[in-house]
Amino acid sequence: LDCYSECLRIQRLRQGGDSIAVAETSNKLGGVHAEREQHDMALKSFDEALTIYKSHLGNNAVEVGHTWHQMGKAHDAMEQHDESLHCFTEALRIFRTQLGEEDLTVALALNNVGVNYARRKEYAKAIELCSEALRIRKVRLGEEHLDIADGLYNLANILDEWRRYDEALKFYSQALAIYRTNLGDDDIEVANCLQFMGTIFMKENEQNRALTCFNEAIRIYRQKDGGEDELAGTLFYLGRIFAKRAEFKSSLDCFTESYQLRKGQLGENHVDTVGAARFVAAIERKLHSGR
């Protein structure tokens, strides 16, 4: 950060404040701010780069498109989704014009626009855009690339939210197979697929299949640093299944561990911690009552 800032100071002094070199360094500086989650500062740097690129290269230059895309990611991180949709849409328009319909950069922008439509609950539009992104990636990368798994997983998430569970399961299963092939059976992406598949099976009252998915996901999460949030959520789901099966001791163990994890992560007063505590209390009452 200090190096880019000093470089930018020297470039402005020697080349003027609107040179292409200043724009390039501003973009790099924005990227560092974004990595540090300093999104306001990132947007300030990206905006400076965007203005210079437009002035020198025109509104439709690829560099302008990439800067719009970076700004979209920063707005996304700040949950400013109207702004991010505008930025990603501008980036997509430019990439299609300059790079052609089959470019991987177009696929990336399509996916980000699609995710923004899903946030607006415009699921049909989201599926259309993300499916086109996946098609391009398959053409360019083949069927077994990790980016294909990510695209399938993304589509499954949207379909899951849309409550089209059979289609979502199909895409989760396809993503799971690719993740296992490329990353092995113990990767966090494998666990995430299994967890989401388990929640669908739970909703459809397929308890045995849900238990299989959740137990395997939990096994993986326990091995990974930083997987406590996912572990807490999966334990909570598992506790609900055990409670439904009247296996209250197992249910209590799951809810208690989920509560302890959430208390450590989120604090005692967070809504998720409070929710887990209520389930712990409810199961304890059932155990004490003998029912």
Short mmCIF file of all heavy atoms in Angstrom, two decimals, residues 72-119:
data_model
loop_
_atom_site.label_atom_id
_atom_site.label_comp_id
_atom_site.label_asym_id
_atom_site.label_seq_id
_atom_site.Cartn_x
_atom_site.Cartn_y
_atom_site.Cartn_z
N GLY A 72 -17.73 -2.82 -9.05
CA GLY A 72 -18.88 -3.66 -8.73
C GLY A 72 -18.60 -4.57 -7.56
O GLY A 72 -19.45 -4.74 -6.66
N LYS A 73 -17.40 -5.16 -7.52
CA LYS A 73 -17.05 -6.04 -6.40
C LYS A 73 -16.97 -5.26 -5.09
O LYS A 73 -17.39 -5.76 -4.05
CB LYS A 73 -15.72 -6.74 -6.70
CG LYS A 73 -15.80 -7.72 -7.85
CD LYS A 73 -14.64 -8.69 -7.88
CE LYS A 73 -13.32 -8.03 -8.04
NZ LYS A 73 -12.21 -9.00 -8.18
N ALA A 74 -16.46 -4.04 -5.15
CA ALA A 74 -16.38 -3.22 -3.93
C ALA A 74 -17.77 -2.86 -3.42
O ALA A 74 -18.06 -2.94 -2.22
CB ALA A 74 -15.56 -1.96 -4.20
N HIS A 75 -18.67 -2.47 -4.34
CA HIS A 75 -20.05 -2.16 -3.93
C HIS A 75 -20.73 -3.41 -3.38
O HIS A 75 -21.49 -3.33 -2.40
CB HIS A 75 -20.84 -1.61 -5.12
CG HIS A 75 -20.56 -0.18 -5.43
ND1 HIS A 75 -20.77 0.84 -4.52
CD2 HIS A 75 -20.08 0.41 -6.57
CE1 HIS A 75 -20.45 2.00 -5.08
NE2 HIS A 75 -20.02 1.77 -6.29
N ASP A 76 -20.47 -4.56 -3.99
CA ASP A 76 -21.02 -5.82 -3.48
C ASP A 76 -20.60 -6.06 -2.04
O ASP A 76 -21.41 -6.44 -1.18
CB ASP A 76 -20.54 -6.99 -4.35
CG ASP A 76 -21.67 -7.63 -5.13
OD1 ASP A 76 -22.82 -7.16 -5.03
OD2 ASP A 76 -21.39 -8.60 -5.86
N ALA A 77 -19.31 -5.87 -1.77
CA ALA A 77 -18.79 -6.10 -0.43
C ALA A 77 -19.43 -5.17 0.59
O ALA A 77 -19.54 -5.52 1.77
CB ALA A 77 -17.27 -5.92 -0.43
N MET A 78 -19.87 -4.00 0.13
CA MET A 78 -20.53 -3.02 1.01
C MET A 78 -22.05 -3.20 1.01
O MET A 78 -22.77 -2.40 1.60
CB MET A 78 -20.17 -1.61 0.56
CG MET A 78 -18.69 -1.31 0.64
SD MET A 78 -18.24 0.27 -0.13
CE MET A 78 -18.90 1.43 1.08
N GLU A 79 -22.52 -4.26 0.31
CA GLU A 79 -23.95 -4.56 0.18
C GLU A 79 -24.72 -3.40 -0.46
O GLU A 79 -25.89 -3.18 -0.16
CB GLU A 79 -24.55 -4.94 1.55
CG GLU A 79 -23.92 -6.19 2.12
CD GLU A 79 -24.60 -6.70 3.37
OE1 GLU A 79 -25.57 -6.05 3.83
OE2 GLU A 79 -24.18 -7.75 3.89
N GLN A 80 -24.06 -2.72 -1.37
CA GLN A 80 -24.69 -1.66 -2.16
C GLN A 80 -25.03 -2.27 -3.53
O GLN A 80 -24.36 -2.05 -4.52
CB GLN A 80 -23.75 -0.46 -2.30
CG GLN A 80 -23.41 0.20 -0.97
CD GLN A 80 -22.33 1.25 -1.09
OE1 GLN A 80 -21.61 1.33 -2.08
NE2 GLN A 80 -22.18 2.06 -0.05
N HIS A 81 -26.10 -3.06 -3.55
CA HIS A 81 -26.32 -3.95 -4.68
C HIS A 81 -26.88 -3.24 -5.91
O HIS A 81 -26.65 -3.69 -7.04
CB HIS A 81 -27.21 -5.11 -4.25
CG HIS A 81 -26.60 -5.93 -3.15
ND1 HIS A 81 -25.32 -6.42 -3.22
CD2 HIS A 81 -27.09 -6.32 -1.94
CE1 HIS A 81 -25.05 -7.10 -2.12
NE2 HIS A 81 -26.10 -7.05 -1.33
N ASP A 82 -27.59 -2.15 -5.74
CA ASP A 82 -28.01 -1.39 -6.92
C ASP A 82 -26.79 -0.85 -7.65
O ASP A 82 -26.70 -0.90 -8.89
CB ASP A 82 -28.93 -0.23 -6.51
CG ASP A 82 -30.31 -0.70 -6.10
OD1 ASP A 82 -30.67 -1.86 -6.39
OD2 ASP A 82 -31.04 0.10 -5.47
N GLU A 83 -25.83 -0.32 -6.88
CA GLU A 83 -24.62 0.22 -7.48
C GLU A 83 -23.78 -0.89 -8.12
O GLU A 83 -23.24 -0.71 -9.21
CB GLU A 83 -23.79 0.96 -6.43
CG GLU A 83 -24.41 2.24 -5.93
CD GLU A 83 -25.39 2.03 -4.78
OE1 GLU A 83 -25.76 0.86 -4.49
OE2 GLU A 83 -25.79 3.04 -4.16
N SER A 84 -23.70 -2.03 -7.44
CA SER A 84 -22.89 -3.12 -8.00
C SER A 84 -23.50 -3.65 -9.29
O SER A 84 -22.79 -3.96 -10.24
CB SER A 84 -22.71 -4.24 -6.98
OG SER A 84 -23.92 -4.90 -6.70
N LEU A 85 -24.83 -3.75 -9.35
CA LEU A 85 -25.48 -4.21 -10.57
C LEU A 85 -25.18 -3.27 -11.73
O LEU A 85 -24.88 -3.71 -12.85
CB LEU A 85 -26.99 -4.33 -10.37
CG LEU A 85 -27.80 -4.78 -11.59
CD1 LEU A 85 -27.32 -6.14 -12.09
CD2 LEU A 85 -29.29 -4.83 -11.26
N HIS A 86 -25.23 -1.96 -11.47
CA HIS A 86 -24.90 -0.99 -12.51
C HIS A 86 -23.46 -1.19 -13.00
O HIS A 86 -23.20 -1.22 -14.22
CB HIS A 86 -25.07 0.44 -11.99
CG HIS A 86 -24.54 1.49 -12.90
ND1 HIS A 86 -25.16 1.83 -14.10
CD2 HIS A 86 -23.41 2.28 -12.81
CE1 HIS A 86 -24.45 2.77 -14.69
NE2 HIS A 86 -23.40 3.06 -13.95
N CYS A 87 -22.53 -1.34 -12.07
CA CYS A 87 -21.12 -1.50 -12.44
C CYS A 87 -20.89 -2.78 -13.24
O CYS A 87 -20.22 -2.77 -14.28
CB CYS A 87 -20.25 -1.49 -11.20
SG CYS A 87 -20.19 0.08 -10.32
N PHE A 88 -21.44 -3.90 -12.77
CA PHE A 88 -21.25 -5.16 -13.46
C PHE A 88 -21.90 -5.15 -14.84
O PHE A 88 -21.38 -5.73 -15.80
CB PHE A 88 -21.81 -6.32 -12.63
CG PHE A 88 -21.00 -6.67 -11.42
CD1 PHE A 88 -21.62 -6.95 -10.20
CD2 PHE A 88 -19.62 -6.74 -11.47
CE1 PHE A 88 -20.88 -7.29 -9.07
CE2 PHE A 88 -18.86 -7.07 -10.35
CZ PHE A 88 -19.50 -7.34 -9.15
N THR A 89 -23.05 -4.50 -14.94
CA THR A 89 -23.74 -4.42 -16.24
C THR A 89 -22.92 -3.62 -17.24
O THR A 89 -22.82 -3.99 -18.42
CB THR A 89 -25.14 -3.79 -16.06
OG1 THR A 89 -25.90 -4.61 -15.15
CG2 THR A 89 -25.88 -3.72 -17.39
N GLU A 90 -22.33 -2.52 -16.79
CA GLU A 90 -21.46 -1.72 -17.66
C GLU A 90 -20.24 -2.55 -18.08
O GLU A 90 -19.83 -2.53 -19.26
CB GLU A 90 -21.01 -0.45 -16.94
CG GLU A 90 -22.02 0.67 -17.00
CD GLU A 90 -22.26 1.14 -18.42
OE1 GLU A 90 -21.33 1.68 -19.06
OE2 GLU A 90 -23.39 0.93 -18.92
N ALA A 91 -19.65 -3.27 -17.13
CA ALA A 91 -18.50 -4.11 -17.46
C ALA A 91 -18.87 -5.17 -18.49
O ALA A 91 -18.14 -5.39 -19.47
CB ALA A 91 -17.96 -4.77 -16.19
N LEU A 92 -20.02 -5.82 -18.31
CA LEU A 92 -20.47 -6.84 -19.23
C LEU A 92 -20.67 -6.28 -20.63
O LEU A 92 -20.25 -6.89 -21.63
CB LEU A 92 -21.78 -7.46 -18.72
CG LEU A 92 -22.44 -8.51 -19.62
CD1 LEU A 92 -21.51 -9.68 -19.87
CD2 LEU A 92 -23.76 -8.98 -19.00
N ARG A 93 -21.28 -5.13 -20.73
CA ARG A 93 -21.51 -4.49 -22.04
C ARG A 93 -20.18 -4.27 -22.76
O ARG A 93 -20.04 -4.59 -23.95
CB ARG A 93 -22.23 -3.17 -21.85
CG ARG A 93 -22.47 -2.39 -23.15
CD ARG A 93 -23.04 -1.01 -22.88
NE ARG A 93 -22.13 -0.16 -22.12
CZ ARG A 93 -21.09 0.46 -22.64
NH1 ARG A 93 -20.79 0.32 -23.94
NH2 ARG A 93 -20.31 1.22 -21.88
N ILE A 94 -19.21 -3.76 -22.04
CA ILE A 94 -17.91 -3.46 -22.66
C ILE A 94 -17.18 -4.75 -23.04
O ILE A 94 -16.63 -4.87 -24.14
CB ILE A 94 -17.05 -2.61 -21.70
CG1 ILE A 94 -17.68 -1.22 -21.53
CG2 ILE A 94 -15.62 -2.49 -22.21
CD1 ILE A 94 -17.09 -0.41 -20.40
N PHE A 95 -17.17 -5.73 -22.16
CA PHE A 95 -16.47 -6.98 -22.44
C PHE A 95 -17.07 -7.67 -23.67
O PHE A 95 -16.34 -8.21 -24.50
CB PHE A 95 -16.53 -7.92 -21.24
CG PHE A 95 -15.76 -7.43 -20.03
CD1 PHE A 95 -16.18 -7.79 -18.75
CD2 PHE A 95 -14.65 -6.63 -20.17
CE1 PHE A 95 -15.48 -7.35 -17.64
CE2 PHE A 95 -13.94 -6.18 -19.05
CZ PHE A 95 -14.36 -6.54 -17.78
N ARG A 96 -18.39 -7.67 -23.77
CA ARG A 96 -19.02 -8.30 -24.94
C ARG A 96 -18.61 -7.58 -26.22
O ARG A 96 -18.33 -8.22 -27.25
CB ARG A 96 -20.54 -8.26 -24.79
CG ARG A 96 -21.10 -9.40 -23.94
CD ARG A 96 -22.59 -9.26 -23.74
NE ARG A 96 -23.22 -10.53 -23.40
CZ ARG A 96 -24.42 -10.65 -22.88
NH1 ARG A 96 -25.14 -9.57 -22.60
NH2 ARG A 96 -24.92 -11.85 -22.61
N THR A 97 -18.57 -6.27 -26.17
CA THR A 97 -18.22 -5.48 -27.35
C THR A 97 -16.77 -5.68 -27.74
O THR A 97 -16.45 -5.86 -28.93
CB THR A 97 -18.49 -3.98 -27.09
OG1 THR A 97 -19.87 -3.80 -26.78
CG2 THR A 97 -18.12 -3.13 -28.29
N GLN A 98 -15.89 -5.66 -26.78
CA GLN A 98 -14.46 -5.66 -27.06
C GLN A 98 -13.83 -7.04 -27.13
O GLN A 98 -12.85 -7.24 -27.85
CB GLN A 98 -13.74 -4.83 -25.99
CG GLN A 98 -14.16 -3.38 -25.93
CD GLN A 98 -13.84 -2.61 -27.19
OE1 GLN A 98 -12.87 -2.90 -27.88
NE2 GLN A 98 -14.68 -1.64 -27.53
N LEU A 99 -14.38 -8.00 -26.41
CA LEU A 99 -13.74 -9.31 -26.29
C LEU A 99 -14.52 -10.44 -26.96
O LEU A 99 -13.97 -11.53 -27.15
CB LEU A 99 -13.53 -9.66 -24.81
CG LEU A 99 -12.72 -8.64 -24.00
CD1 LEU A 99 -12.70 -9.04 -22.52
CD2 LEU A 99 -11.30 -8.52 -24.53
N GLY A 100 -15.77 -10.19 -27.31
CA GLY A 100 -16.59 -11.22 -27.93
C GLY A 100 -17.40 -12.00 -26.92
O GLY A 100 -17.12 -11.98 -25.72
N GLU A 101 -18.41 -12.69 -27.41
CA GLU A 101 -19.39 -13.35 -26.53
C GLU A 101 -18.83 -14.56 -25.79
O GLU A 101 -19.40 -15.00 -24.80
CB GLU A 101 -20.61 -13.79 -27.36
CG GLU A 101 -21.43 -12.65 -27.93
CD GLU A 101 -22.27 -11.95 -26.87
OE1 GLU A 101 -22.44 -12.53 -25.78
OE2 GLU A 101 -22.74 -10.84 -27.13
N GLU A 102 -17.71 -15.13 -26.27
CA GLU A 102 -17.22 -16.39 -25.72
C GLU A 102 -16.03 -16.21 -24.78
O GLU A 102 -15.41 -17.19 -24.38
CB GLU A 102 -16.83 -17.34 -26.86
CG GLU A 102 -17.94 -17.62 -27.85
CD GLU A 102 -19.06 -18.44 -27.24
OE1 GLU A 102 -18.76 -19.50 -26.67
OE2 GLU A 102 -20.23 -18.02 -27.33
N ASP A 103 -15.71 -14.98 -24.41
CA ASP A 103 -14.55 -14.74 -23.58
C ASP A 103 -14.85 -15.08 -22.11
O ASP A 103 -15.96 -14.87 -21.63
CB ASP A 103 -14.12 -13.27 -23.69
CG ASP A 103 -12.75 -13.03 -23.09
OD1 ASP A 103 -11.75 -13.20 -23.81
OD2 ASP A 103 -12.68 -12.68 -21.90
N LEU A 104 -13.85 -15.58 -21.40
CA LEU A 104 -14.04 -15.93 -20.00
C LEU A 104 -14.34 -14.72 -19.13
O LEU A 104 -15.03 -14.84 -18.10
CB LEU A 104 -12.80 -16.67 -19.47
CG LEU A 104 -12.63 -18.11 -19.94
CD1 LEU A 104 -11.28 -18.65 -19.52
CD2 LEU A 104 -13.76 -19.00 -19.39
N THR A 105 -13.83 -13.55 -19.52
CA THR A 105 -14.15 -12.33 -18.78
C THR A 105 -15.63 -12.01 -18.90
O THR A 105 -16.25 -11.51 -17.94
CB THR A 105 -13.29 -11.17 -19.28
OG1 THR A 105 -11.92 -11.56 -19.33
CG2 THR A 105 -13.42 -9.96 -18.38
N VAL A 106 -16.21 -12.28 -20.06
CA VAL A 106 -17.65 -12.12 -20.24
C VAL A 106 -18.40 -13.06 -19.30
O VAL A 106 -19.39 -12.68 -18.66
CB VAL A 106 -18.05 -12.38 -21.71
CG1 VAL A 106 -19.56 -12.42 -21.87
CG2 VAL A 106 -17.45 -11.31 -22.62
N ALA A 107 -17.92 -14.30 -19.20
CA ALA A 107 -18.56 -15.27 -18.29
C ALA A 107 -18.54 -14.78 -16.85
O ALA A 107 -19.54 -14.89 -16.12
CB ALA A 107 -17.87 -16.62 -18.40
N LEU A 108 -17.40 -14.23 -16.44
CA LEU A 108 -17.30 -13.72 -15.07
C LEU A 108 -18.30 -12.59 -14.81
O LEU A 108 -18.99 -12.57 -13.79
CB LEU A 108 -15.88 -13.22 -14.81
CG LEU A 108 -15.59 -12.62 -13.44
CD1 LEU A 108 -15.85 -13.64 -12.33
CD2 LEU A 108 -14.16 -12.10 -13.38
N ALA A 109 -18.38 -11.66 -15.77
CA ALA A 109 -19.32 -10.55 -15.60
C ALA A 109 -20.77 -11.04 -15.64
O ALA A 109 -21.62 -10.57 -14.86
CB ALA A 109 -19.08 -9.51 -16.69
N LEU A 110 -21.09 -11.97 -16.54
CA LEU A 110 -22.43 -12.55 -16.58
C LEU A 110 -22.81 -13.15 -15.24
O LEU A 110 -23.93 -12.96 -14.75
CB LEU A 110 -22.49 -13.64 -17.66
CG LEU A 110 -22.70 -13.22 -19.10
CD1 LEU A 110 -22.36 -14.37 -20.04
CD2 LEU A 110 -24.13 -12.75 -19.33
N ASN A 111 -21.88 -13.88 -14.65
CA ASN A 111 -22.15 -14.51 -13.37
C ASN A 111 -22.44 -13.47 -12.29
O ASN A 111 -23.39 -13.61 -11.51
CB ASN A 111 -20.96 -15.36 -12.96
CG ASN A 111 -21.27 -16.29 -11.81
OD1 ASN A 111 -21.98 -17.27 -11.97
ND2 ASN A 111 -20.75 -15.97 -10.65
N ASN A 112 -21.66 -12.41 -12.25
CA ASN A 112 -21.85 -11.38 -11.23
C ASN A 112 -23.15 -10.61 -11.43
O ASN A 112 -23.83 -10.26 -10.45
CB ASN A 112 -20.66 -10.43 -11.20
CG ASN A 112 -19.44 -11.05 -10.55
OD1 ASN A 112 -19.54 -11.83 -9.62
ND2 ASN A 112 -18.26 -10.72 -11.06
N VAL A 113 -23.53 -10.36 -12.67
CA VAL A 113 -24.82 -9.73 -12.93
C VAL A 113 -25.94 -10.67 -12.50
O VAL A 113 -26.92 -10.25 -11.86
CB VAL A 113 -24.97 -9.35 -14.42
CG1 VAL A 113 -26.37 -8.82 -14.70
CG2 VAL A 113 -23.94 -8.28 -14.81
N GLY A 114 -25.79 -11.96 -12.83
CA GLY A 114 -26.80 -12.93 -12.45
C GLY A 114 -27.01 -13.03 -10.96
O GLY A 114 -28.15 -13.09 -10.47
N VAL A 115 -25.92 -13.03 -10.21
CA VAL A 115 -26.02 -13.09 -8.74
C VAL A 115 -26.78 -11.87 -8.21
O VAL A 115 -27.59 -11.98 -7.28
CB VAL A 115 -24.62 -13.18 -8.12
CG1 VAL A 115 -24.67 -12.94 -6.61
CG2 VAL A 115 -23.99 -14.53 -8.42
N ASN A 116 -26.55 -10.72 -8.81
CA ASN A 116 -27.27 -9.52 -8.37
C ASN A 116 -28.76 -9.63 -8.66
O ASN A 116 -29.59 -9.17 -7.86
CB ASN A 116 -26.67 -8.29 -9.03
CG ASN A 116 -25.56 -7.67 -8.21
OD1 ASN A 116 -25.78 -6.80 -7.39
ND2 ASN A 116 -24.34 -8.17 -8.42
N TYR A 117 -29.14 -10.23 -9.78
CA TYR A 117 -30.57 -10.45 -10.04
C TYR A 117 -31.16 -11.44 -9.05
O TYR A 117 -32.32 -11.29 -8.63
CB TYR A 117 -30.78 -10.91 -11.48
CG TYR A 117 -30.84 -9.78 -12.47
CD1 TYR A 117 -29.81 -9.54 -13.37
CD2 TYR A 117 -31.94 -8.91 -12.50
CE1 TYR A 117 -29.86 -8.49 -14.27
CE2 TYR A 117 -32.00 -7.85 -13.39
CZ TYR A 117 -30.96 -7.64 -14.27
OH TYR A 117 -31.02 -6.58 -15.14
N ALA A 118 -30.39 -12.44 -8.65
CA ALA A 118 -30.88 -13.38 -7.64
C ALA A 118 -31.15 -12.67 -6.33
O ALA A 118 -32.13 -12.97 -5.64
CB ALA A 118 -29.87 -14.51 -7.45
N ARG A 119 -30.28 -11.72 -5.97
CA ARG A 119 -30.51 -10.96 -4.74
C ARG A 119 -31.82 -10.18 -4.80
O ARG A 119 -32.45 -9.93 -3.78
CB ARG A 119 -29.35 -9.99 -4.50
CG ARG A 119 -28.05 -10.65 -4.12
CD ARG A 119 -27.07 -9.64 -3.58
NE ARG A 119 -25.79 -10.25 -3.26
CZ ARG A 119 -24.70 -10.15 -3.99
NH1 ARG A 119 -24.72 -9.43 -5.10
NH2 ARG A 119 -23.58 -10.73 -3.62
#
